[in-house]
Amino acid sequence: MPWTDRQVNTLSNRPNDTRTPFQRDKARILHSAAFRRLQAKTQVMYVGMHDFPRTRLTHSLEASQIGASLIVHLSHRHPELSKSLEFSEPLLESLCLAHDIGHPPFGHGGEIALNYMMRNNGGFEGNGQTFRIVTKLEAYTPEHGMNLTRRTLLGLLKYPVLASQVRREQLPEDVSNFKHLPTRQWLPPKALYNDDAAQLDWVLAPLSTSDKQAFQALSAEPQTTKHGRSALKSVDASIMEAADDIAYGVHDLEDAIVVGLIQRDHWMKHMFDRLRSLESALPDFNAESLTHALFSDDHYERKGAIGSLVNRLVTSATLIKTDNDFECPLLQYQVALGDAEKHLLNALKEFIFKWVIRKPEMQAQEFKGQQIVMELFDVLSVEPERLLPENTRLRYLHEQEHGNNAPRVISDYLSGMTDAYAAKLYQQLFAINPSI
């Protein structure tokens, strides 16, 4: 079937391999360099702030477990539909393991930095970089990256459009000093790069013309100063996104409480009443009991509360039919949490964003990382033949010689770095004493 096709057939090299296509996809992701680098990339708290914070790697592993749990739950709730859609735990695990591998060092600060530096060359966006890594950059095949199945690639398309379709009509003015960059104005459009249009076309090739057009429809058109936004994703991508949101909203909350970024009195002031308002809509939910468990000195109580929150959200999930009259079954359905459970998850996510991610000490780290990325890009783009490592230099020269987007090679190089490696390179290039 076309959804298990790969761009290159490598089965002839593994004659006794009895794994399913999606089990092979999962193995390729797990064993990739891009996945390993997630262990030293920021999730919410910066690597080194505490002795055991969640990283992009642990977040992806937790999202993977939640994704598999969602598949088990949906298979029990919708047995016939799940069978016809051919749901697969290894497939969802693959999507969740891979969904963040395109994120650059220093979190969203690094993403904004690279988007600004690539402003005249197609921009930068984490999801677009993930697609680029799995279809082109990761060294599993010479030209097609990990050479994943078409369905896995479809499931990674949270935003199945090109940047040119959704990018704002007018970019902000350039800055003369990187420290003056107005970051909120340089948020990237959620999209794939135009450089990777051929790979997107291959993924969507089995769709009918009408399905492809409807699938790439926009929920918001680009405006003069505002990006547009794609409207749809496949059923697999919707489950992956739900798993990602649950892992972020619940497990990152646990992290913030454990290390003291969130105090009980702050929680009571800014979150408790919102939770209490959900008690009538959520069976066996008590805001006071949850608060006690989350801030208990007994760690097993907190673990129990976190596990119960995840279970409540996962077991509320259901499949709903989309309004579009798609021919492809993978586009006909989306996962949805229960209304009250969705409100609960949104409350947790908003609380984390406002009172953890936006804390001044967190933003100071993001600002510093952002400056590092922009300075590195600046110097590497001035003298790429002198400063880029050999393989990257050869790629740069090849793209330049063929009239392609050579700056994208620098962006690929920097975005693949861990936080520590980027900081180390910055020290080597700019510090008076580079051994510091």
Side-chain angles (χ1 to χ4, degrees), residues 106-152:
F106 307 113
H108 289 291
E111 183 179 47
I112 290 170
L114 284 174
N115 185 50
Y116 176 73
M117 300 308 291
M118 288 291 291
R119 61 195 179 281
N120 298 320
N121 298 100
F124 179 90
E125 199 272 331
N127 296 282
Q129 191 68 19
T130 292
F131 185 76
R132 182 171 175 81
I133 288 170
V134 298
T135 60
K136 185 177 290 187
L137 299 181
E138 186 66 35
Y140 189 89
T141 62
E143 296 179 351
H144 300 294
M146 295 186 196
N147 194 33
L148 303 178
T149 60
R150 186 182 262 119
R151 180 163 176 175
T152 297

Side-chain angles (χ1 to χ4, degrees), residues 34-281:
F35 181 74
R36 289 195 302 277
R37 291 189 187 105
L38 295 179
Q39 66 187 301
K41 289 192 178 187
T42 294
Q43 170 59 13
V44 170
M45 282 172 284
Y46 282 81
V47 177
M49 284 184 69
H50 298 281
D51 63 345
F52 62 102
R54 284 175 164 89
T55 64
R56 290 276 177 191
L57 182 74
T58 58
H59 163 76
S60 298
L61 291 169
E62 288 169 339
S64 176
Q65 184 272 324
I66 293 170
S69 297
L70 282 165
I71 288 296
V72 172
H73 166 72
L74 292 170
S75 296
H76 281 86
R77 188 162 189 169
H78 307 278
E80 294 303 318
L81 183 54
S82 298
K83 186 176 180 181
S84 67
L85 291 171
E86 299 183 69
F87 277 163
S88 161
E89 288 181 51
L91 168 61
L92 256 296
E93 288 170 337
S94 296
L95 299 181
C96 294
L97 291 171
H99 81 284
D100 265 354
I101 60 175
H103 275 268
F106 307 113
H108 289 291
E111 183 179 47
I112 290 170
L114 284 174
N115 185 50
Y116 176 73
M117 300 308 291
M118 288 291 291
R119 61 195 179 281
N120 298 320
N121 298 100
F124 179 90
E125 199 272 331
N127 296 282
Q129 191 68 19
T130 292
F131 185 76
R132 182 171 175 81
I133 288 170
V134 298
T135 60
K136 185 177 290 187
L137 299 181
E138 186 66 35
Y140 189 89
T141 62
E143 296 179 351
H144 300 294
M146 295 186 196
N147 194 33
L148 303 178
T149 60
R150 186 182 262 119
R151 180 163 176 175
T152 297
L153 294 177
L154 180 72
L156 286 172
L157 295 179
K158 288 178 66 174
Y159 313 102
V161 295
L162 297 175
S164 58
Q165 296 174 258
V166 293
R167 195 177 193 184
R168 56 189 283 178
E169 296 166 357
Q170 182 179 316
L171 291 178
E173 301 234 347
D174 292 358
V175 295
S176 57
N177 187 317
F178 293 150
K179 295 181 179 64
H180 299 163
L181 186 75
T183 55
R184 302 304 296 175
Q185 293 183 29
W186 284 99
L187 293 170
K190 300 294 185 181
L192 307 183
Y193 308 137
N194 282 58
D195 295 330
D196 300 322
Q199 283 71 34
L200 176 60
D201 287 342
W202 183 83
V203 175
L204 302 184
L207 300 180
S208 66
T209 301
S210 60
D211 270 12
K212 184 176 179 180
Q213 290 177 345
F215 184 53
Q216 295 187 291
L218 303 184
S219 61
E221 294 289 334
Q223 301 174 19
T224 304
T225 59
K226 191 174 182 180
H227 299 308
R229 193 173 181 88
S230 62
L232 300 169
K233 54 182 67 70
S234 71
V235 63
D236 298 324
S238 76
I239 298 171
M240 175 266 284
E241 187 171 46
D244 181 27
D245 285 347
I246 293 171
Y248 165 67
V250 179
H251 289 300
D252 289 340
L253 168 68
E254 178 187 15
D255 237 15
I257 292 173
V258 168
V259 301
L261 283 173
I262 295 175
Q263 304 291 336
R264 184 188 179 107
D265 58 348
H266 195 83
W267 174 270
M268 293 297 294
K269 181 177 180 181
H270 298 284
M271 188 67 176
F272 186 77
D273 287 344
R274 190 168 180 183
L275 291 179
R276 176 162 278 178
S277 70
L278 293 171
E279 287 181 340
S280 60

Side-chain angles (χ1 to χ4, degrees), residues 377-395:
F377 193 106
D378 191 43
V379 72
L380 291 175
S381 63
V382 170
E383 295 201 83
E385 294 184 50
R386 182 183 181 190
L387 296 175
L388 289 175
E390 181 65 10
N391 286 342
T392 308
R393 184 181 72 84
L394 292 175
R395 276 188 58 219

